[in-house]
Amino acid sequence: MNDKKLPLKPPRHLCLLFLFLGMYLTSAQTNKQRPPNFVIIFADDLGYGDLGVYGHPTIKTPNLDKMAHEGQKWTNFYAGASVCTPSRAALLTGRLPVRSGMASNKQRVLFPDSKNGLPADEITLAEQLKKVGYGTACIGKWHLGHKEQYLPTNNGFDYYFGIPYSNDMDATGGKNYKEAAKEGPSAIKIADYNVPLMRNTEIIERPAEQNTITKRYSEEAISYIKKNKDKPFLVYLAHNLPHIPLFASQAFSGKSERGLYGDVVSEIDDGVGKILATLKEEGLADNTIVIFTSDNGPWLPFKTHGGSAGLLRAGKGTTWEGGMREPTIFWSPGKIKPAVITDLGSTMDLFTTFSKLAGIKIPENRIVDGVDLSGPLFEQTKSPRKNMFYYRGTDLYAVRLGDYKAHFITEGAYGQFGEREEHSTPLLYNVNEDPSEQFDIAAEHPEIIEQINTLVAEHQSKLVKGKDMLAERE
Ligand code: MG
């Protein structure tokens, strides 16, 4: 037998100690270096007053309520527009949609026969995050152009699962929705809306099976998170509900005291709970920032099938507070300080805040309207957002500056809340003292109107309106 000497080995327990120490150091280093994951959960036409934690008496949203208590509930947070297409463009580009051409006085949103979509030279949040290697998924309603060059997969998203425009489009001439709604949920037919469901650039189902769509969107988000947990990711989950037509899966149908609308919101809430639970189970919660908000206010003419703006005036389609102020919750346990934030914020700020957190420069060759909300989120300092511009199409209707909001033009929508009216002296409200915009105080505060006029003049002096991308139809 060969009497070869064995090499000297350190004792087994020391090997294990070094192994664990190495693993700990690597993981600590990874956590330190790894930028946060982002999950944006965006409801469609959900009103300011439609969540339990925002005061709804019968819609039960235990998961969103808990998310708000563990995180931050924002009470002065705005969508970038009062209807779907421009609002989504604002969120993803961090810019007022008037700049990108994703707002129009001819068509308020894109339709299945629209020719165009989000211009290729706009930079989306997904494109920003791709620069540093994020995995990016868009799940749900897109509504920024249904032709291939405009789809999420050509706008910075690695993966897309969802419907390319609103769930009430491609109507097949079935029963009028308001009539069907009166008859009850069984009269609302999936086949009346021939909306396609897509995976990446392929149509995989038509009409989209809308009874199960909310559940499937949440499951897709969870599956994406699990598969991509080893690198930073962005999940943009844009539910197409509670925009009408309303549909809920069997587990939620007929359960809410608020009726079908409550069933739909409960199912979205359930998905939020499951997504947050997944982040905790996967050990990702403390390095993930989740935001829940909505694209615009409630679609009020649909009565009980539309939501509620709570104490805010009017709803979707208008530049009253009910059209653009949204229920908004930020969550990141251990990072985001639990609080109710009454400072101003906007969906446009996600572009800037998330880019900065990921260490990516804000583009300098264009005006970006988003501001960095890291201060109020992590440091309990004031929001840098001091104003908000309320556009309808490409016209500036109102401006908020601090506590005050001036309306230069007022107009209702969908046959409610009055005709277009220009105000030579703007209407002025203190929207902190008077969130319902009931008491015009223009006569008492000419100095505030002057300040707002100065802000408007400065804003307009730098404004270049983008080419109208919504007007042309086939
Ligand atoms: Mg909407």
Side-chain angles (χ1 to χ4, degrees):
M1 237 179 113
N2 194 353
D3 190 17
K4 208 164 79 179
K5 238 186 172 176
L6 289 167
L8 194 65
K9 268 187 170 177
R12 191 177 153 75
H13 69 275
L14 266 183
C15 285
L16 283 172
L17 183 69
F18 284 130
L19 179 70
F20 286 129
L21 190 65
M23 278 166 67
Y24 170 78
L25 288 173
T26 314
S27 117
Q29 205 175 18
T30 313
N31 281 343
K32 201 178 159 197
Q33 286 174 353
R34 181 173 157 163
N37 313 303
F38 304 111
V39 178
I40 300 170
I41 307 174
F42 205 38
D44 195 348
D45 294 5
L46 182 82
Y48 186 81
D50 282 329
L51 304 182
V53 68
Y54 280 79
H56 199 283
T58 52
I59 300 178
K60 289 184 181 162
T61 52
N63 295 292
L64 285 158
D65 300 357
K66 186 164 180 261
M67 180 181 171
H69 290 122
E70 290 175 359
Q72 288 184 357
K73 169 184 158 183
W74 285 59
T75 58
N76 279 288
F77 198 92
Y78 292 94
S82 67
V83 289
C84 298
T85 297
S87 173
R88 282 146 212 273
L91 183 151
L92 284 174
T93 63
R95 283 152 56 79
L96 287 166
V98 65
R99 300 191 200 278
S100 59
M102 293 302 282
S104 164
N105 292 345
K106 297 191 178 100
Q107 303 287 341
R108 299 201 72 183
V109 298
L110 290 168
F111 289 91
D113 61 354
S114 292
K115 279 191 176 173
N116 301 308
L118 188 68
D121 58 2
E122 287 297 319
I123 300 169
T124 68
L125 174 60
E127 286 167 332
Q128 280 281 89
L129 297 174
K130 288 294 315 163
K131 291 177 190 165
V132 291
Y134 273 64
T136 51
C138 171
I139 295 159
K141 170 168 155 181
W142 176 241
H143 216 179
L144 295 174
H146 66 282
K147 293 188 173 176
E148 186 159 339
Q149 71 264 37
Y150 299 118
L151 287 174
T153 44
N154 268 314
N155 276 293
F157 290 98
D158 301 327
Y159 179 67
Y160 174 47
F161 177 86
I163 65 172
Y165 35 72
S166 295
N167 64 331
D168 65 337
M169 293 182 175
D170 290 324
T172 55
K175 203 168 269 179
N176 168 287
Y177 187 78
K178 285 180 184 162
E179 294 306 314
K182 273 188 215 158
E183 285 177 39
S186 62
I188 305 166
K189 304 284 184 209
I190 287 168
D192 289 347
Y193 306 92
N194 195 32
V195 180
L197 179 69
M198 307 186 76
R199 195 183 299 280
N200 298 321
T201 56
E202 303 296 323
I203 294 175
I204 57 165
E205 188 179 295
R206 190 166 198 171
E209 214 289 61
Q210 295 203 49
N211 283 321
T212 56
I213 206 160
T214 297
K215 182 173 184 280
R216 286 189 286 163
Y217 286 161
S218 298
E219 287 168 355
E220 283 281 332
I222 288 166
S223 155
Y224 187 86
I225 289 167
K226 286 184 174 172
K227 280 187 206 150
N228 290 275
K229 63 183 176 186
D230 295 328
K231 60 177 175 185
F233 57 79
L234 163 71
V235 173
Y236 169 55
L237 165 55
H239 283 291
N240 57 246
L241 290 160
H243 187 294
I244 64 102
L246 300 179
F247 295 99
S249 67
Q250 220 167 3
F252 291 88
S253 291
K255 299 281 160 58
S256 173
E257 289 174 86
R258 170 62 174 81
L260 181 54
Y261 187 91
D263 295 340
V264 169
V265 177
S266 293
E267 189 159 18
I268 291 172
D269 175 75
D270 183 69
V272 171
K274 289 182 169 132
I275 290 166
L276 300 191
T278 302
L279 293 169
K280 284 181 178 167
E281 283 156 22
E282 299 291 340
L284 298 166
D286 65 353
N287 198 35
T288 303
I289 293 165
V290 184
I291 174 177
F292 178 91
T293 187
S294 176
D295 70 332
N296 52 249
W299 209 354
L300 296 172
F302 289 95
K303 298 183 178 169
T304 59
H305 285 239
S308 164
L311 81 176
L312 304 179
R313 186 163 173 175
K316 173 175 175 172
T318 77
T319 45
W320 295 104
E321 290 295 285
M324 288 171 62
R325 202 195 292 197
E326 306 304 330
T328 303
I329 303 166
F330 283 92
W331 182 89
S332 188
K335 284 222 172 106
I336 286 180
K337 312 243 184 248
V340 174
I341 304 289
T342 58
D343 289 359
L344 302 194
S346 162
T347 55
M348 292 180 286
D349 302 336
L350 303 183
F351 179 94
T352 303
T353 309
F354 293 174
S355 293
K356 292 212 167 159
L357 290 170
I360 307 155
K361 276 199 185 114
I362 304 303
E364 284 169 0
N365 60 351
R366 63 198 64 206
I367 291 178
V368 172
D369 296 286
V371 298
D372 182 4
L373 299 180
S374 299
L377 288 173
F378 308 114
E379 310 294 340
Q380 292 176 308
T381 57
K382 299 297 281 179
S383 169
R385 176 167 290 282
K386 301 298 175 210
N387 57 53
M388 184 68 205
F389 294 90
Y390 304 66
Y391 275 87
R392 177 172 175 140
T394 60
D395 295 335
L396 183 63
Y397 272 44
V399 174
R400 179 164 179 182
L401 176 60
D403 296 354
Y404 296 93
K405 178 178 173 188
H407 290 262
F408 300 95
I409 308 170
T410 50
E411 187 176 359
Y414 315 108
Q416 295 185 332
F417 307 110
E419 298 297 312
R420 186 180 202 274
E421 201 180 334
E422 292 184 22
H423 304 279
S424 52
T425 302
L427 309 178
L428 186 73
Y429 301 96
N430 179 325
V431 285
N432 279 344
E433 288 184 356
D434 174 23
S436 308
E437 298 172 282
Q438 296 295 306
F439 312 111
D440 178 13
I441 49 170
E444 291 96 306
H445 289 289
E447 80 289 357
I448 304 284
I449 291 174
E450 209 172 297
Q451 282 175 31
I452 294 178
N453 281 337
T454 306
L455 176 67
V456 169
E458 197 213 341
H459 169 75
Q460 288 177 334
S461 72
K462 293 182 201 149
L463 179 69
V464 179
K465 292 186 180 180
K467 177 182 176 286
D468 186 338
M469 303 304 281
L470 310 190
E472 282 184 68
R473 297 173 72 167
E474 307 278 12

